[in-house]
């Protein structure tokens, strides 16, 4: 098993993508693949792929290519996908429900153990086979079940009040769909942001550039 | 107005975040802000902020700081948020509905003009005050309404069939929530991906690192 010190952050950021592509190859019963084939499928250069994957050592062989299954497993281990971090979702509105039902938590290193909302009317509704709990029961739930991470699907205005409470209750990281800048408020904790609005603005810029400069863009 | 040639891609990627922060300042009736204050609010160094914002010229003054409203407007223009690209959503399941109802399209350079699904049972249901249309009507709708971008909220397996059709029908860019690698298939078209699974895996890695190396991480 490789040590994390050997892997640069830019390689780490590409790992989920490799993992995803290799998973698709496994589904198609493909046992091995060359860096050149991976390159044409992923849009990265073959030399970058060789360089990245050489970090894990020993899986690529001249004239044979990579063992898809071994490589997939190794990358999964580096990412820690065999973990089972206890997660709760805060906010059972549309977004919270999509996240609860769409995400393959177990295969991504997490287990979803609770979902909370402040609306009385939502309490008891089933989401992913789990009853939505009223936020008033959060303290007791955390003391009993020790969730490690919180997934924030609430409006930004409400965020800090609840995140301060969550940190006091032992939450050690956030998957953050709000616009609150949590990393700055809790510098010691991992915060992974999903800013859909920023993504939409970046898309707007790229469309504008494309239409204004149709030839110079590739 | 600044020319895009003067702005590097790394600056562009930070623009949505500046825009968001400045918008929050406007809501709080804050007229001006120094690079130092922005720095402490955004977690970027003051010198990087000065360097970024100097690209737009003339808004920062020694001892005065930045004019929040002017800077917000200028960044919005660079991003093209005054555009009104005609957008359609493909897929009216949970994810498509969240995107339709949550996103502030008009303030992000887009107008949502249609939402489609292949399920007969969904046709006619109202989402954001708009009836879901059956996918069979896509050709006619596109010929009449000339949508420019498509927002893909469908399973990856179904993606290429529909995206090939969309490109033939004149779609010029994708906001892509599927796991399909569209940029590779349509190299000329802007594709902005939102890969929630990749984000969750990256979060898993960061949690694992945090728990294995609690002191060395900040």
């Amino acid at each position: 098993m490789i040590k994390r010190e050997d892997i640069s952050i830019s390689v780490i950021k590409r790992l989920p993508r490799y993992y995803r592509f290799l998973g698709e190859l496994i589904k198609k019963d493909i046992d091995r693949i060359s860096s050149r084939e991976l390159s044409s499928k992923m849009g990265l250069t073959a030399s970058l792929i060789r360089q990245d994957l050489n970090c894990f050592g020993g899986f690529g062989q001249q004239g044979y290519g990579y063992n898809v299954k071994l490589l997939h497993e190794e990358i999964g281990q580096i990412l820690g996908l065999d973990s089972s971090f206890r997660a709760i979702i805060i906010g059972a509105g549309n977004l919270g429900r999509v996240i609860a039902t769409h995400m393959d938590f177990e295969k991504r290193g997490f287990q979803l153990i609770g979902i909370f909302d402040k609306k009385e009317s939502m309490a008891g509704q089933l989401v992913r086979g789990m009853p939505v709990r009223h936020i008033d029961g959060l303290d007791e739930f955390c003391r009993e079940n020790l969730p490690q991470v919180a997934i924030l699907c609430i409006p930004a205005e409400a965020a800090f009040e609840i995140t301060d409470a969550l940190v006091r209750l032992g939450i050690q990281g956030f998957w953050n769909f709000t616009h609150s800048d949590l990393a700055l408020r809790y510098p010691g904790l991992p915060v992974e942001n999903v800013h859909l609005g920023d993504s939409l603005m970046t898309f707007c810029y790229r469309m504008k550039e494309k239409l204004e400069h149709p030839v110079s863009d590739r």
Side-chain angles (χ1 to χ4, degrees), chain A:
Chain A
M1 178 69 186
I2 194 94
K3 291 198 194 74
R4 68 157 190 160
E5 287 77 7
D6 301 333
I7 308 176
S8 77
I9 188 68
S10 55
V11 179
I12 294 296
K13 286 196 174 168
R14 283 190 290 274
L15 290 186
R17 202 160 154 225
Y18 284 120
Y19 188 80
R20 190 154 41 82
F21 270 83
L22 292 166
E24 281 162 25
L25 295 178
I26 290 172
K27 272 192 209 155
K28 291 177 192 158
D29 285 323
I30 295 170
D31 294 335
R32 44 171 135 159
I33 190 163
S34 68
S35 51
R36 193 184 297 184
E37 285 168 291
L38 260 181
S39 163
S40 73
K41 280 182 196 295
M42 294 187 62
L44 300 170
T45 67
S47 75
L48 180 69
I49 290 175
R50 278 194 296 271
Q51 201 177 304
D52 281 357
L53 301 188
N54 280 349
C55 294
F56 323 140
F59 296 111
Q61 272 180 287
Q62 195 77 37
Y64 174 92
Y66 295 97
N67 180 317
V68 170
K69 214 173 156 196
L70 275 182
L71 190 56
H72 185 256
E73 275 176 21
E74 181 75 354
I75 292 177
Q77 269 185 5
I78 293 165
L79 288 169
L81 304 186
D82 50 348
S83 310
S84 190
F85 297 117
R86 291 179 299 280
I88 55 176
I89 291 179
I90 308 295
N94 287 328
L95 181 61
R97 282 161 199 252
V98 166
I99 299 304
T101 51
H102 262 59
M103 302 308 301
D104 207 347
F105 288 106
E106 289 73 17
K107 290 190 179 162
R108 300 288 175 261
F110 296 89
Q111 51 169 319
L112 186 63
I113 62 169
I115 177 162
F116 291 83
D117 203 283
K118 66 174 181 183
K119 280 204 193 127
E120 297 275 7
S121 60
M122 282 193 183
Q125 290 180 12
L126 289 185
V127 175
R128 201 181 179 134
M130 215 178 278
V132 175
R133 294 162 193 275
H134 190 264
I135 199 78
D136 283 351
L138 186 63
D139 285 42
E140 193 186 340
F141 181 90
C142 289
R143 279 195 302 273
E144 284 174 7
N145 298 284
L146 306 173
Q148 295 160 292
V149 305
I151 301 166
L152 299 178
C153 301
I154 50 178
E157 308 86 63
F160 287 151
E161 194 183 334
I162 188 83
T163 53
D164 285 352
L166 287 166
V167 170
R168 276 197 307 274
L169 290 164
I171 287 294
Q172 296 171 73
F174 292 103
W175 196 26
N176 179 28
F177 287 78
T178 78
H179 282 173
S180 311
D181 211 323
L182 299 178
L184 215 63
R185 193 171 179 100
Y186 314 109
L189 301 193
V191 176
E192 178 73 18
N193 296 306
V194 181
H195 286 319
L196 296 178
D198 288 11
S199 171
L200 190 55
M201 285 191 264
T202 305
F203 182 44
C204 180
Y205 175 80
R206 296 181 60 201
M207 283 301 299
K208 178 192 138 209
E209 286 300 294
K210 165 76 185 166
L211 298 184
E212 285 177 3
H213 308 269
V215 183
S216 68
D217 290 327
R218 55 159 220 138

